[in-house]
Amino acid sequence: NLGDWSSDVCSSDLWGKHGLIGEQDIYTKDQEFRAWLVSEKMLNPETLSKAKSKEVFKTFMEEFNTGQSLCLA
């Protein structure tokens, strides 16, 4: 199955390709996070509470670290 192969490549070959980020990077990756919120999640960053923003950043962090967003392109 091509989908299985694609996800395997994304999870291994792209892991950390653009660096690894953690929860402490919520402010240093603000521009990328906001762009991702709009383009990938269709969310307006201005309407998110601080708690919701932190929660959604965890998903962004996982996708950034695994290169998942790059595989969707």
Side-chain angles (χ1 to χ4, degrees), residues 33-45:
F33 178 50
R34 288 172 165 269
W36 175 84
L37 281 171
V38 172
S39 66
E40 297 290 324
K41 297 297 180 186
M42 315 297 179
L43 293 172
N44 180 348

Side-chain angles (χ1 to χ4, degrees), residues 8-21 61-68 70:
D8 288 344
V9 169
C10 291
S11 64
S12 62
D13 291 344
L14 296 177
W15 173 259
K17 182 175 182 173
H18 299 286
L20 296 175
I21 61 172
M61 188 174 61
E62 182 179 335
E63 289 191 16
F64 184 94
N65 289 341
T66 60
Q68 232 176 346
L70 300 174

Side-chain angles (χ1 to χ4, degrees), residues 22-59:
E23 290 180 43
Q24 72 279 4
D25 294 305
I26 192 166
Y27 301 109
T28 60
K29 290 293 182 188
D30 186 59
Q31 287 183 332
E32 294 96 328
F33 178 50
R34 288 172 165 269
W36 175 84
L37 281 171
V38 172
S39 66
E40 297 290 324
K41 297 297 180 186
M42 315 297 179
L43 293 172
N44 180 348
E46 301 299 322
T47 63
L48 294 179
S49 69
K50 190 171 184 172
K52 183 67 174 176
S53 185
K54 285 183 176 185
E55 178 186 322
V56 178
F57 186 78
K58 290 178 183 179
T59 303

